[in-house]
Structure formats: structure tokens, C-alpha cells
Amino acid sequence: MDPLQMACTGPRKKRARQMDTSMGSTQDIKFQDLVLFILEKKMGTTRRAFLMELARRKGFRVENELSDSVTHIVAENNSGSDVLEWLQVQKIKASSQLELLDVSWLIECMGAGKLVEITGKHQLVSIMVRGDCPASHDSSPQKTESAAVQKISQYACQRRTTLNNHNHIFTDAFEILAENCEFRENEGSYVTYMRAASVLKSLPFSIISMKDTEGIPCLADKVKCVIEEIIEDGESSEVKAVLNDERYKSFKLFTSVFGVGLKTAEKWFRLGFRTLSGIMNDKTLKLTHMQKAGFLYYEDLVSCVTRAEAEAVGVLVKEAVWAFLPDAIVTMTGGFRRGKKVGHDVDFLITSPEATEEQEQQLLHKVITFWEKEGLLLYCDLYESTFEKLKMPSRKVDALDHFQKCFLILKLHRECVDDGTSSQLQGKTWKAIRVDLVVCPYECRAFALLGWTGSPQFERDLRRYATHERKMMLDNHALYDKTKRKFLSADSEEDIFAHLGLDYIEPWERNA
Ligand code: DCT
Ligand code: MG
């Protein structure tokens, strides 16, 4: 067996006993700047001895005892809180220089024969202070302090949330509970569950016991009860009940149709409908154009858009836009910009440094006429701009913006999709795809890009943070500083984060 493989699966006891754990000191040290200490807690003496010996052979300096010279503590099956607690018992204060790492980092380093970059998945995050933390005004803790003393912010815009979710079992549950509250128009509980799901998505470790939840913000009592039940029973009875609830099931089904919102779903439910075929076969119901398109292309639209399909739509959009405005900047936004592999639609932001107001206003009309002639336009709903310069940003966290935009359904031909394997196209030569196009004035582009990149929860928390922590107002058009009584301009998203005193969060870290 390869030694590294053994490191992953655990050593055979007999061999481990023969090892001399002190011999490493005489071996060549390849990584001079690092001093490791491997924690025995939950790892056991044998495995620890084996890993120490292996790490030394691979060029690491590994201490037998925890001393001041140690720079990295490596642990297995421990959360950050577990390690900190152990340090406290040893009467050792965790300094901000001390890295608390999962053994996976050491194993990766040994496998690669070099130091592997430490990322969130390796860091054992712990929370020194319990409860919601007020935003720190001298930039966020993520970059300036080690994970050992890092607090988790109550704001998603102060957390880095990649798509690597270690707590799916909990976040899936909270998203279902939140959706049920949305269907029942219970705004308060909706926010509670969404914030809980969001904070859990940002954790670089899986919650395995209630102790791991200590100090994590945004976990209300009712949220903790659900977590506890899932830890104990593997599922939540409340979620189970929701999934079996007739109202929830009907609303979920009805709102899966493009053009159907809560009001329509409520009406259909009250009228006694429970299936989509029941609605389609009813001659008395009046459907909007949007809903008719929603039913017509239902199968295509409920199947997710793949990245290859999104890229193919991007080619179509650029081709059409550039035919009329060659200098236009076309950016794919929404979930795909955040690195998602699938989405429910494809969002684009369009802006031009040179276009006149009239050229800007005409662009979407020309693009739509062009696609209509090509036979690619299956549905179109265009909203003209109601944008006014120097208007105060909206106070509402979920307010829609005032830019000109269109909600479309486009026909995407199979041969346009690069991978050619688009499963949804089987037997058909094309697939209906939902596409959103937004046009914004050039000076608003950074705000519009930030707003249209999402996630929705990240956006809500950005605005909430601006209002409550900075006395500023942020929306998709502008940022206003109420203290200085002036608008703050921005050429890039980085500028906006800087105005807000926030560390920059990359798009793929905004999956809150
Ligand atoms: N948006 C927002 N607030 C909302 C809805 C949307 O700030 N209430 C922003 C953030 C994302 C962007 O608009 C695009 O919206 P969607 O397409 O609905 O979201 P998405 O993240 O792209 O998700 P999906 O992958 O399902 O399309
Ligand atoms: Mg989208």
C-alpha cells in the first residue's frame, strides 16, 4: 500500500508500534518556515505517530509537544471549537498566527510533495465570541486574522461562500422550510430560515454535533431545534410534514410554471386545482401570455440550463448585440457568474461606453426584432427604463431596478451547444431557454453588475450592511453616503466593496 493511501485509511497497528516518533528531528527539513503539531484528540496515538513519522519523512518539522514555535496545528475529526477548547484546557492562548488545519491539508501536501495552498476547506473555523457579531469597521476578519480567531459575521457579504457546501443536509431542509413560509407569506420566518441556510453554506466544516453550532450567528432557537433533530434522527419531522403538505406541494408545482407567482398559485389552489393538467384542461381559466408560454415550454424550462447551454446563449447574445452596438460590453451575470454549473435562466448585463441614450434605448428592440426574424424568439416581455439619475437608492432590500430589461424565452438549437450532449434535447433539435437581458448606463455598470450577480441572499445582506453598518444606501444603480450626503461613484465591483469598507468577495464566493 502506498504510504499516502495509508495516511488516508489509517495505519496497521503492528507497524505503527515499531515507529520511533522522535527520529524526525534528524531528517532533512524541506519546509523551514512551518512547525507542525499533530493533535492526538479524536485521532488516537497510533495514527498520530504514523502521521508524524510520515510528515517528517516528507520534510516537515513536526514537534512532539505543543510549543511556542508551532505554527500549524493539524487535527482530524475535530471542529475549530474542539481544537480551541483543547487549547484552553492546555492553558494555551490561540494566537492569530496559529493555523488550525484539518489533516486533509497535510495529506494533500505530502501527496503533492509541496505546500498546498490553505483554503477554506482546510481551515478549522472557530468562533471566539458568541452571538451575532457587530460588523467590524476596520475591514473584515477573513483576511487579517487566522481562522483560529475568526468570527463569523451575521452578514453574508462578510463571509466567503463557495459552492462547496459542507452542510447540505441542513441547508436543504431550511430552504424547504423557507419556501413554505414564502408560500404562506410569512416573511419573518422566511428570512430566519434563509439566513440560517446562508450562514451554514459558508462554513468550511460539517456540523456534526450541537457544539459545532455554538457562536454561529443567525441560528434562532427554532433553527437549532431542526438542526438537533437532523443530527439525531437524520431528518426533520417538520420538513417531512411540509413536503407532504397539500398546499406546499401545489404551490411548488404551480410556481414552477414561468409566469406564475404567489397570487396565481393561491387562486388556483383555492379553486381546488392540484395538477398542471387540471389547469391546462380548464377552459374557464384566463392565462396571461407569460403563463401560456410557461405551459407551452414547460418541460424545457423546468429542466435546468447547463453551462454549455448558457455559453451557447452567450454567443447568440453577443452576436446580436454587437451587430448593432459593436463596443457594447456583454457580461453573463446571475448564478453562472458565481460558477454554478446549472441555472434556471441565463442573465446578461449589457452596457456601452460610447452609445448615446437613444442608441442605448434602441438596442434591445433591435436585438429582439433580429431574433424574431431568425425564428429564435419564443417569448418576449420588454420593460422600458424608468431610471433617473441622482435618484436616492431604494430602501427596500428586494426592490427591482429601473433599467431597461427583457425577459425572454429563446430557441437554442442543438448544434449551437458545444458539448452536444445536452440531455434535454433528446429527440428535439432545440430547447427553450429563459434569458434575461438588462441594459444599464455605463456609469452604473459596477452597481448593476454587483446587483445582478447575486446570490439574492448576498445582495440582501449587502444592502442591509450598507444601511445598518455604514449609513449608506445601496441598490443596483448607485451608492449614497448619508453622512457625507453624496453619491459614491464606482468603476468596478472592487470600488463598491472598498466604499463599504468590506474585503472584496469574488463572485464565486457569493453563493450565500
Ligand atoms: N436578484 C436579486 N434579488 C432578487 C432576485 C434576483 O438581487 N430577489 C439578482 C441576484 C441574482 C440575479 O438577480 C439573477 O437572478 P436569478 O436568475 O433569479 O438568480 P440566479 O442566482 O441567477 O439563480 P438561477 O441559477 O436559478 O438562475
Ligand atoms: Mg439566473
Side-chain angles (χ1 to χ4, degrees), residues 77-88:
N77 298 327
N78 279 274
S79 68
S81 313
D82 291 338
V83 180
L84 277 186
E85 198 171 275
W86 181 84
L87 287 170
Q88 264 166 11

Side-chain angles (χ1 to χ4, degrees), residues 303-432:
S303 75
C304 288
V305 182
T306 64
R307 177 161 285 278
E309 288 163 351
E311 297 293 346
V313 173
V315 172
L316 286 182
V317 173
K318 284 178 181 163
E319 177 192 57
V321 168
W322 288 341
F324 306 106
L325 256 189
D327 79 330
I329 301 163
V330 179
T331 312
M332 195 188 288
T333 60
F336 286 110
R337 184 160 184 253
R338 302 196 308 274
K340 278 177 68 176
K341 290 202 169 71
V342 293
H344 92 282
D345 65 0
V346 202
D347 310 288
F348 293 92
L349 180 69
I350 303 163
T351 189
S352 154
E354 300 292 338
T356 62
E357 254 181 50
E358 177 163 355
Q359 283 173 320
E360 207 177 274
Q361 191 274 330
Q362 283 299 309
L363 178 68
L364 286 187
H365 293 271
K366 289 178 180 169
V367 165
I368 286 161
T369 311
F370 172 79
W371 280 334
E372 215 166 9
K373 283 188 189 145
E374 300 244 301
L376 298 183
L377 195 72
L378 300 174
Y379 174 83
C380 171
D381 195 5
L382 188 143
Y383 292 84
E384 289 297 349
S385 167
T386 53
F387 172 70
E388 291 167 44
K389 263 187 201 165
L390 300 181
K391 200 177 161 194
M392 280 293 164
S394 169
R395 284 176 192 282
K396 293 189 201 143
V397 286
D398 278 328
L400 273 179
D401 62 49
H402 296 280
F403 301 128
Q404 188 195 38
K405 57 177 77 66
C406 58
F407 303 118
L408 309 170
I409 300 176
L410 288 187
K411 185 186 258 192
L412 180 67
H413 286 289
R414 184 204 285 265
E415 65 265 22
C416 299
V417 183
D418 205 18
D419 67 355
T421 55
S422 181
S423 56
Q424 308 307 327
L425 294 177
Q426 279 166 1
K428 259 171 65 181
T429 58
W430 57 271
K431 178 178 170 184

